[in-house]
Amino acid sequence: MAAAAAVVARSSSLSKLRPILRSFASSAASDDNRILTIETFVPFTGHLIDPPSRAVDTTPAEILSFFRDMARMRRMEIAADSLYKSKLIRGFCHLYDGQEAVAVGMEAAITKRDAIITSYRDHCTFLSRGGTLLEAFAELMGRRDGCSRGKGGSMHFYKKDASFYGGHGIVGAQVPLGCGLAFAQKYSKDASVTFALYGDGAANQGQLFEALNMSALLDLPVILVCENNHYGMGTAEWRAAKSPSYYKRGDFVPGLKVDGMDALAVKQACKFVKEYALANGPIILEMDTYRYHGHSMSDPGSTYRTRDEISGIRQERDSIERIRRVILSHELASISELKDIEKEVRKEVEEAVSQAKKCSMPDQSVLFKDVFVKGYGAETFGSDRKALSAALP
Amino acid sequence: MAAALQTAALLSASPNPIDSRRFRLGSFARSLPGTRASFLVVRSDGSIPNSFTASSRSEKFITNAVATKSNAPASSTASKPGHELLLFEALREGLEEEMDRDPTVCVMGEDVGHYGGSYKVTKGLATKYGDLRVLDTPIAENSFTGMGIGAAMTGLRPVVEGMNMGFLLLAYNQISNNCGMLHYTSGGQFKIPIVIRGPGGVGRQLGAEHSQRLESYFQSIPGLQMVACSTPYNAKGLMKAAIRSDNPVVLFEHVLLYNLKERIPDEEYVLCLEEAEMVRPGEHVTILTYSRMRYHVMQAAKTLVNKGYDPEVIDIRSLKPFDLYTIGKSVKKTHRVLIVEECMRTGGIGSSLRAAIIDNFWDYLDAPIMCLSSQDVPTPYAGTLEEWTVVQPAQIVAAVEQICK
């Protein structure tokens, strides 16, 4: 299982390493597949279930790919921040920096047949599912080469071929959708699972409990993942939820609390719950994580929390720093090699940004495209079957 | 009458109420006398499906069927008289045929499975297809509609039933944002081939909350198609078309129309979702209506004919988009329009239709368009009050007389 994930991780990291593979030929770590067992920083806490062991099997290649992927995600979000401030990205922009370990760890534990559905904070999940930086930046800037052809925006990233179902603006609405994905997986006997992600703010939505009840009734292979970054926009979790133990909220459904800033812990937990869900039905994961930016770019993020808190988390729990420490303590790479990776990633992101800036806006002719799909024996028009008719594919 | 009793006995007596030999069409119609052979099922894109009925005979597949009473003589010489059934049975027949044809079609809703559906539309289906394919959900409209939409994103074709359309207000977010808009916001990646159906409209003293007409609320959701059935013939055809459509379709049924009886063809047919139905051709005035109001209009039409008027009655069927081609042809002929609907006066289907006609056919109108709709009140319980909220035939007659002055 670990070897397979490592091979996947290795091949994806190799494909990103391609431009500079020559200079890395001497470093064995990125090709290294020997199994390392590393302990998570904090043990898991279970509700109605025995938590998995703290010892995570991984490989140097995988750890390095974690580092590279998280660095890329961090860079992308910081670039999005500056693009927003220069008004190239408009509307709402919800940044994921700080929470990268959840996306990266989850991806390491699952396959592309397993589905992921998340909320509007979806840029990094899109990347981890195989989306490219160019598609992401182009979509953020509303260009036609964006992953949703410029029609979705920041909150509507999707990647169907990688089973990434988005990208949803309304808080909590993605969870019943996720249970529907799991329903379809069960219906088609797919042996795959769905991870439905939501935040601590969405955890108070009624439709979650409705969906959880139905999933438990039908033993759907769905994993509800609460990315608890402790703030629902400006409201701290203790002011919004009577019980902040989101992993226990399933009541009759078991739950697991995970340190979401530790990519290895996330990977272990996701592997564990995938096996559980395939056999038994729904389970809740609570990822204890943190976002450095505010809720969105319109929110400074400092009116409801102190800068000390933010910098404290950055110093003690930052996911990239932790992986860096793991790499250095196991001597998988040197400090300068890691700095090189960060420089490459920075360059990658800058190139993607400049390339995206050159992309053109969507043409007016696509305004009506994809409102409808050509149905059976049907032609579809605007309400008056005349000038506003859509040219259907 | 005897046929109806026989059908009723058939339905109540046998454990599997649907006698498949009697109701299954096409390749299974061999048991019926006088079955014509050699039909071929051809899909709309020209390909011939690998049908799991594995019929070596071909079936004449009627697309865009428009059968009206006036057309009946023409078609009956080519086809057999057909079979009689009630509207809810027609819906069930359409649903069952589609479920037979395509294993990805599934049903979800409250009490659709073991109970058989609160209006018996899904009776017997759970026994036949199993509990996963005909899913009894808890009372959680928001999430089971969301679940249906999520399943549709992967390629399943769910038919979500709202026990009463009014309950789907709880699922409005899912219907508007996820169902209607996902195809667009994902840049065309996901299609949502879902059918959302259920009975709505004013019934017999059901009270305000159970007499809602949701077509006016859903009409501006982009990406959604809306159709309203009114006869067993169009109920079955629209159900089948809605299931086969790759777009999300909301199929509006009416609580009071479920027991309408009609003779429908044995051959398989699918109606066009965007087409209106000519109920009664005429010369003096175009009356546009849908769902239950069609019957009030036809009742008024009898009186009008006696008084010397010749109304043209069109059942618009497609509430979104409007079939302005058929409507326009009619307006160009009669130059007078009356819209009769069950929606509220404010923001109803009638007001949108009126605007569309004015925008497109202003030059052809000889009189202002009149729109008769329900009053802007919560539907009261008392029978007399309830009658006053809905349009009655006498009002329709008076309106036509005024327009044609």
mmCIF file with all atom_site columns, all heavy atoms in Angstrom, chain A residues 27 48 79 123 137 173 186-187 192 194 249-250 267 293 317 359 389:
data_model
loop_
_atom_site.group_PDB
_atom_site.id
_atom_site.type_symbol
_atom_site.label_atom_id
_atom_site.label_alt_id
_atom_site.label_comp_id
_atom_site.label_asym_id
_atom_site.label_entity_id
_atom_site.label_seq_id
_atom_site.pdbx_PDB_ins_code
_atom_site.Cartn_x
_atom_site.Cartn_y
_atom_site.Cartn_z
_atom_site.occupancy
_atom_site.B_iso_or_equiv
_atom_site.pdbx_formal_charge
_atom_site.auth_seq_id
_atom_site.auth_comp_id
_atom_site.auth_asym_id
_atom_site.auth_atom_id
_atom_site.pdbx_PDB_model_num
ATOM 1   N N   . SER A 1 27  ? 21.429  13.057 -6.273  1.00 0.00 ? 27  SER A N   1
ATOM 2   C CA  . SER A 1 27  ? 20.707  12.899 -5.012  1.00 0.00 ? 27  SER A CA  1
ATOM 3   C C   . SER A 1 27  ? 19.832  11.678 -5.088  1.00 0.00 ? 27  SER A C   1
ATOM 4   O O   . SER A 1 27  ? 18.921  11.609 -5.900  1.00 0.00 ? 27  SER A O   1
ATOM 5   C CB  . SER A 1 27  ? 19.876  14.151 -4.736  1.00 0.00 ? 27  SER A CB  1
ATOM 6   O OG  . SER A 1 27  ? 18.861  13.830 -3.815  1.00 0.00 ? 27  SER A OG  1
ATOM 7   N N   . LEU A 1 48  ? -15.545 5.883  19.090  1.00 0.00 ? 48  LEU A N   1
ATOM 8   C CA  . LEU A 1 48  ? -16.180 4.614  18.719  1.00 0.00 ? 48  LEU A CA  1
ATOM 9   C C   . LEU A 1 48  ? -15.296 3.783  17.785  1.00 0.00 ? 48  LEU A C   1
ATOM 10  O O   . LEU A 1 48  ? -15.805 2.975  17.023  1.00 0.00 ? 48  LEU A O   1
ATOM 11  C CB  . LEU A 1 48  ? -17.539 4.839  18.021  1.00 0.00 ? 48  LEU A CB  1
ATOM 12  C CG  . LEU A 1 48  ? -18.652 5.494  18.845  1.00 0.00 ? 48  LEU A CG  1
ATOM 13  C CD1 . LEU A 1 48  ? -19.938 5.505  18.031  1.00 0.00 ? 48  LEU A CD1 1
ATOM 14  C CD2 . LEU A 1 48  ? -18.876 4.761  20.137  1.00 0.00 ? 48  LEU A CD2 1
ATOM 15  N N   . ALA A 1 79  ? 1.044   33.710 -4.327  1.00 0.00 ? 79  ALA A N   1
ATOM 16  C CA  . ALA A 1 79  ? 0.936   34.415 -5.614  1.00 0.00 ? 79  ALA A CA  1
ATOM 17  C C   . ALA A 1 79  ? -0.497  34.872 -5.845  1.00 0.00 ? 79  ALA A C   1
ATOM 18  O O   . ALA A 1 79  ? -0.734  35.977 -6.353  1.00 0.00 ? 79  ALA A O   1
ATOM 19  C CB  . ALA A 1 79  ? 1.394   33.486 -6.742  1.00 0.00 ? 79  ALA A CB  1
ATOM 20  N N   . HIS A 1 123 ? -8.264  25.552 -4.131  1.00 0.00 ? 123 HIS A N   1
ATOM 21  C CA  . HIS A 1 123 ? -7.150  25.675 -5.084  1.00 0.00 ? 123 HIS A CA  1
ATOM 22  C C   . HIS A 1 123 ? -6.149  24.553 -4.907  1.00 0.00 ? 123 HIS A C   1
ATOM 23  O O   . HIS A 1 123 ? -5.694  23.929 -5.862  1.00 0.00 ? 123 HIS A O   1
ATOM 24  C CB  . HIS A 1 123 ? -6.422  27.009 -4.919  1.00 0.00 ? 123 HIS A CB  1
ATOM 25  C CG  . HIS A 1 123 ? -7.322  28.199 -4.972  1.00 0.00 ? 123 HIS A CG  1
ATOM 26  N ND1 . HIS A 1 123 ? -6.930  29.438 -4.522  1.00 0.00 ? 123 HIS A ND1 1
ATOM 27  C CD2 . HIS A 1 123 ? -8.574  28.351 -5.425  1.00 0.00 ? 123 HIS A CD2 1
ATOM 28  C CE1 . HIS A 1 123 ? -7.917  30.287 -4.693  1.00 0.00 ? 123 HIS A CE1 1
ATOM 29  N NE2 . HIS A 1 123 ? -8.921  29.677 -5.236  1.00 0.00 ? 123 HIS A NE2 1
ATOM 30  N N   . PHE A 1 137 ? -4.300  29.352 -12.219 1.00 0.00 ? 137 PHE A N   1
ATOM 31  C CA  . PHE A 1 137 ? -4.183  30.807 -12.303 1.00 0.00 ? 137 PHE A CA  1
ATOM 32  C C   . PHE A 1 137 ? -5.068  31.374 -13.398 1.00 0.00 ? 137 PHE A C   1
ATOM 33  O O   . PHE A 1 137 ? -5.648  32.447 -13.254 1.00 0.00 ? 137 PHE A O   1
ATOM 34  C CB  . PHE A 1 137 ? -2.721  31.215 -12.528 1.00 0.00 ? 137 PHE A CB  1
ATOM 35  C CG  . PHE A 1 137 ? -1.896  31.115 -11.277 1.00 0.00 ? 137 PHE A CG  1
ATOM 36  C CD1 . PHE A 1 137 ? -0.812  30.266 -11.212 1.00 0.00 ? 137 PHE A CD1 1
ATOM 37  C CD2 . PHE A 1 137 ? -2.211  31.874 -10.160 1.00 0.00 ? 137 PHE A CD2 1
ATOM 38  C CE1 . PHE A 1 137 ? -0.048  30.174 -10.053 1.00 0.00 ? 137 PHE A CE1 1
ATOM 39  C CE2 . PHE A 1 137 ? -1.459  31.781 -9.002  1.00 0.00 ? 137 PHE A CE2 1
ATOM 40  C CZ  . PHE A 1 137 ? -0.384  30.921 -8.949  1.00 0.00 ? 137 PHE A CZ  1
ATOM 41  N N   . ALA A 1 173 ? -23.164 22.592 1.286   1.00 0.00 ? 173 ALA A N   1
ATOM 42  C CA  . ALA A 1 173 ? -23.968 21.933 0.246   1.00 0.00 ? 173 ALA A CA  1
ATOM 43  C C   . ALA A 1 173 ? -23.213 20.797 -0.413  1.00 0.00 ? 173 ALA A C   1
ATOM 44  O O   . ALA A 1 173 ? -23.822 19.925 -1.022  1.00 0.00 ? 173 ALA A O   1
ATOM 45  C CB  . ALA A 1 173 ? -24.401 22.951 -0.803  1.00 0.00 ? 173 ALA A CB  1
ATOM 46  N N   . LYS A 1 186 ? -21.249 3.062  -4.659  1.00 0.00 ? 186 LYS A N   1
ATOM 47  C CA  . LYS A 1 186 ? -21.804 1.820  -4.144  1.00 0.00 ? 186 LYS A CA  1
ATOM 48  C C   . LYS A 1 186 ? -22.698 1.178  -5.192  1.00 0.00 ? 186 LYS A C   1
ATOM 49  O O   . LYS A 1 186 ? -22.711 -0.029 -5.364  1.00 0.00 ? 186 LYS A O   1
ATOM 50  C CB  . LYS A 1 186 ? -22.601 2.104  -2.872  1.00 0.00 ? 186 LYS A CB  1
ATOM 51  C CG  . LYS A 1 186 ? -23.206 0.849  -2.306  1.00 0.00 ? 186 LYS A CG  1
ATOM 52  C CD  . LYS A 1 186 ? -23.791 1.062  -0.933  1.00 0.00 ? 186 LYS A CD  1
ATOM 53  C CE  . LYS A 1 186 ? -24.419 -0.261 -0.517  1.00 0.00 ? 186 LYS A CE  1
ATOM 54  N NZ  . LYS A 1 186 ? -24.222 -0.583 0.861   1.00 0.00 ? 186 LYS A NZ  1
ATOM 55  N N   . TYR A 1 187 ? -23.471 1.999  -5.886  1.00 0.00 ? 187 TYR A N   1
ATOM 56  C CA  . TYR A 1 187 ? -24.394 1.521  -6.917  1.00 0.00 ? 187 TYR A CA  1
ATOM 57  C C   . TYR A 1 187 ? -23.636 0.802  -8.017  1.00 0.00 ? 187 TYR A C   1
ATOM 58  O O   . TYR A 1 187 ? -24.049 -0.248 -8.500  1.00 0.00 ? 187 TYR A O   1
ATOM 59  C CB  . TYR A 1 187 ? -25.107 2.744  -7.492  1.00 0.00 ? 187 TYR A CB  1
ATOM 60  C CG  . TYR A 1 187 ? -26.296 2.495  -8.373  1.00 0.00 ? 187 TYR A CG  1
ATOM 61  C CD1 . TYR A 1 187 ? -27.592 2.577  -7.857  1.00 0.00 ? 187 TYR A CD1 1
ATOM 62  C CD2 . TYR A 1 187 ? -26.148 2.265  -9.726  1.00 0.00 ? 187 TYR A CD2 1
ATOM 63  C CE1 . TYR A 1 187 ? -28.692 2.411  -8.665  1.00 0.00 ? 187 TYR A CE1 1
ATOM 64  C CE2 . TYR A 1 187 ? -27.249 2.082  -10.533 1.00 0.00 ? 187 TYR A CE2 1
ATOM 65  C CZ  . TYR A 1 187 ? -28.521 2.167  -10.008 1.00 0.00 ? 187 TYR A CZ  1
ATOM 66  O OH  . TYR A 1 187 ? -29.610 2.006  -10.820 1.00 0.00 ? 187 TYR A OH  1
ATOM 67  N N   . SER A 1 192 ? -14.422 2.128  -4.525  1.00 0.00 ? 192 SER A N   1
ATOM 68  C CA  . SER A 1 192 ? -13.715 3.370  -4.240  1.00 0.00 ? 192 SER A CA  1
ATOM 69  C C   . SER A 1 192 ? -14.535 4.155  -3.220  1.00 0.00 ? 192 SER A C   1
ATOM 70  O O   . SER A 1 192 ? -15.695 3.838  -2.961  1.00 0.00 ? 192 SER A O   1
ATOM 71  C CB  . SER A 1 192 ? -13.514 4.176  -5.521  1.00 0.00 ? 192 SER A CB  1
ATOM 72  O OG  . SER A 1 192 ? -14.712 4.249  -6.243  1.00 0.00 ? 192 SER A OG  1
ATOM 73  N N   . THR A 1 194 ? -15.414 8.144  -1.251  1.00 0.00 ? 194 THR A N   1
ATOM 74  C CA  . THR A 1 194 ? -15.522 9.586  -1.463  1.00 0.00 ? 194 THR A CA  1
ATOM 75  C C   . THR A 1 194 ? -15.105 10.301 -0.195  1.00 0.00 ? 194 THR A C   1
ATOM 76  O O   . THR A 1 194 ? -15.523 9.938  0.901   1.00 0.00 ? 194 THR A O   1
ATOM 77  C CB  . THR A 1 194 ? -16.969 9.983  -1.776  1.00 0.00 ? 194 THR A CB  1
ATOM 78  O OG1 . THR A 1 194 ? -17.393 9.317  -2.945  1.00 0.00 ? 194 THR A OG1 1
ATOM 79  C CG2 . THR A 1 194 ? -17.080 11.479 -1.996  1.00 0.00 ? 194 THR A CG2 1
ATOM 80  N N   . ARG A 1 249 ? -19.266 14.230 16.440  1.00 0.00 ? 249 ARG A N   1
ATOM 81  C CA  . ARG A 1 249 ? -20.628 14.666 16.156  1.00 0.00 ? 249 ARG A CA  1
ATOM 82  C C   . ARG A 1 249 ? -21.435 13.648 15.397  1.00 0.00 ? 249 ARG A C   1
ATOM 83  O O   . ARG A 1 249 ? -22.633 13.813 15.239  1.00 0.00 ? 249 ARG A O   1
ATOM 84  C CB  . ARG A 1 249 ? -20.574 15.954 15.349  1.00 0.00 ? 249 ARG A CB  1
ATOM 85  C CG  . ARG A 1 249 ? -20.322 17.125 16.230  1.00 0.00 ? 249 ARG A CG  1
ATOM 86  C CD  . ARG A 1 249 ? -20.818 18.304 15.547  1.00 0.00 ? 249 ARG A CD  1
ATOM 87  N NE  . ARG A 1 249 ? -20.670 19.494 16.337  1.00 0.00 ? 249 ARG A NE  1
ATOM 88  C CZ  . ARG A 1 249 ? -21.036 20.669 15.889  1.00 0.00 ? 249 ARG A CZ  1
ATOM 89  N NH1 . ARG A 1 249 ? -21.532 20.766 14.688  1.00 0.00 ? 249 ARG A NH1 1
ATOM 90  N NH2 . ARG A 1 249 ? -20.898 21.717 16.655  1.00 0.00 ? 249 ARG A NH2 1
ATOM 91  N N   . GLY A 1 250 ? -20.766 12.644 14.885  1.00 0.00 ? 250 GLY A N   1
ATOM 92  C CA  . GLY A 1 250 ? -21.517 11.625 14.177  1.00 0.00 ? 250 GLY A CA  1
ATOM 93  C C   . GLY A 1 250 ? -22.340 10.763 15.106  1.00 0.00 ? 250 GLY A C   1
ATOM 94  O O   . GLY A 1 250 ? -23.181 10.010 14.650  1.00 0.00 ? 250 GLY A O   1
ATOM 95  N N   . LYS A 1 267 ? -1.941  11.204 6.004   1.00 0.00 ? 267 LYS A N   1
ATOM 96  C CA  . LYS A 1 267 ? -1.871  10.056 5.101   1.00 0.00 ? 267 LYS A CA  1
ATOM 97  C C   . LYS A 1 267 ? -2.282  8.782  5.831   1.00 0.00 ? 267 LYS A C   1
ATOM 98  O O   . LYS A 1 267 ? -3.075  7.984  5.324   1.00 0.00 ? 267 LYS A O   1
ATOM 99  C CB  . LYS A 1 267 ? -0.448  9.929  4.566   1.00 0.00 ? 267 LYS A CB  1
ATOM 100 C CG  . LYS A 1 267 ? -0.267  8.693  3.714   1.00 0.00 ? 267 LYS A CG  1
ATOM 101 C CD  . LYS A 1 267 ? 1.181   8.440  3.367   1.00 0.00 ? 267 LYS A CD  1
ATOM 102 C CE  . LYS A 1 267 ? 1.318   6.972  2.990   1.00 0.00 ? 267 LYS A CE  1
ATOM 103 N NZ  . LYS A 1 267 ? 2.670   6.531  2.813   1.00 0.00 ? 267 LYS A NZ  1
ATOM 104 N N   . HIS A 1 293 ? -4.051  32.891 6.220   1.00 0.00 ? 293 HIS A N   1
ATOM 105 C CA  . HIS A 1 293 ? -4.795  34.040 5.712   1.00 0.00 ? 293 HIS A CA  1
ATOM 106 C C   . HIS A 1 293 ? -6.127  34.136 6.413   1.00 0.00 ? 293 HIS A C   1
ATOM 107 O O   . HIS A 1 293 ? -6.540  33.239 7.143   1.00 0.00 ? 293 HIS A O   1
ATOM 108 C CB  . HIS A 1 293 ? -5.045  33.878 4.207   1.00 0.00 ? 293 HIS A CB  1
ATOM 109 C CG  . HIS A 1 293 ? -3.956  34.433 3.355   1.00 0.00 ? 293 HIS A CG  1
ATOM 110 N ND1 . HIS A 1 293 ? -2.864  33.703 2.966   1.00 0.00 ? 293 HIS A ND1 1
ATOM 111 C CD2 . HIS A 1 293 ? -3.804  35.669 2.810   1.00 0.00 ? 293 HIS A CD2 1
ATOM 112 C CE1 . HIS A 1 293 ? -2.084  34.456 2.220   1.00 0.00 ? 293 HIS A CE1 1
ATOM 113 N NE2 . HIS A 1 293 ? -2.630  35.653 2.109   1.00 0.00 ? 293 HIS A NE2 1
ATOM 114 N N   . ARG A 1 317 ? 3.835   24.648 14.339  1.00 0.00 ? 317 ARG A N   1
ATOM 115 C CA  . ARG A 1 317 ? 3.118   23.548 13.706  1.00 0.00 ? 317 ARG A CA  1
ATOM 116 C C   . ARG A 1 317 ? 3.128   23.600 12.179  1.00 0.00 ? 317 ARG A C   1
ATOM 117 O O   . ARG A 1 317 ? 2.496   22.779 11.557  1.00 0.00 ? 317 ARG A O   1
ATOM 118 C CB  . ARG A 1 317 ? 1.657   23.549 14.169  1.00 0.00 ? 317 ARG A CB  1
ATOM 119 C CG  . ARG A 1 317 ? 1.465   23.273 15.648  1.00 0.00 ? 317 ARG A CG  1
ATOM 120 C CD  . ARG A 1 317 ? -0.010  23.305 16.030  1.00 0.00 ? 317 ARG A CD  1
ATOM 121 N NE  . ARG A 1 317 ? -0.751  22.241 15.364  1.00 0.00 ? 317 ARG A NE  1
ATOM 122 C CZ  . ARG A 1 317 ? -2.058  22.275 15.102  1.00 0.00 ? 317 ARG A CZ  1
ATOM 123 N NH1 . ARG A 1 317 ? -2.762  23.335 15.430  1.00 0.00 ? 317 ARG A NH1 1
ATOM 124 N NH2 . ARG A 1 317 ? -2.661  21.259 14.505  1.00 0.00 ? 317 ARG A NH2 1
ATOM 125 N N   . CYS A 1 359 ? -2.958  34.686 -21.180 1.00 0.00 ? 359 CYS A N   1
ATOM 126 C CA  . CYS A 1 359 ? -4.116  34.007 -21.752 1.00 0.00 ? 359 CYS A CA  1
ATOM 127 C C   . CYS A 1 359 ? -5.236  35.002 -21.992 1.00 0.00 ? 359 CYS A C   1
ATOM 128 O O   . CYS A 1 359 ? -5.376  35.990 -21.274 1.00 0.00 ? 359 CYS A O   1
ATOM 129 C CB  . CYS A 1 359 ? -4.638  32.938 -20.794 1.00 0.00 ? 359 CYS A CB  1
ATOM 130 S SG  . CYS A 1 359 ? -3.552  31.543 -20.614 1.00 0.00 ? 359 CYS A SG  1
ATOM 131 N N   . SER A 1 389 ? -30.509 31.880 -28.781 1.00 0.00 ? 389 SER A N   1
ATOM 132 C CA  . SER A 1 389 ? -30.365 30.428 -28.719 1.00 0.00 ? 389 SER A CA  1
ATOM 133 C C   . SER A 1 389 ? -28.898 30.036 -28.564 1.00 0.00 ? 389 SER A C   1
ATOM 134 O O   . SER A 1 389 ? -28.006 30.683 -29.043 1.00 0.00 ? 389 SER A O   1
ATOM 135 C CB  . SER A 1 389 ? -30.924 29.787 -29.981 1.00 0.00 ? 389 SER A CB  1
ATOM 136 O OG  . SER A 1 389 ? -30.025 29.995 -31.043 1.00 0.00 ? 389 SER A OG  1
#
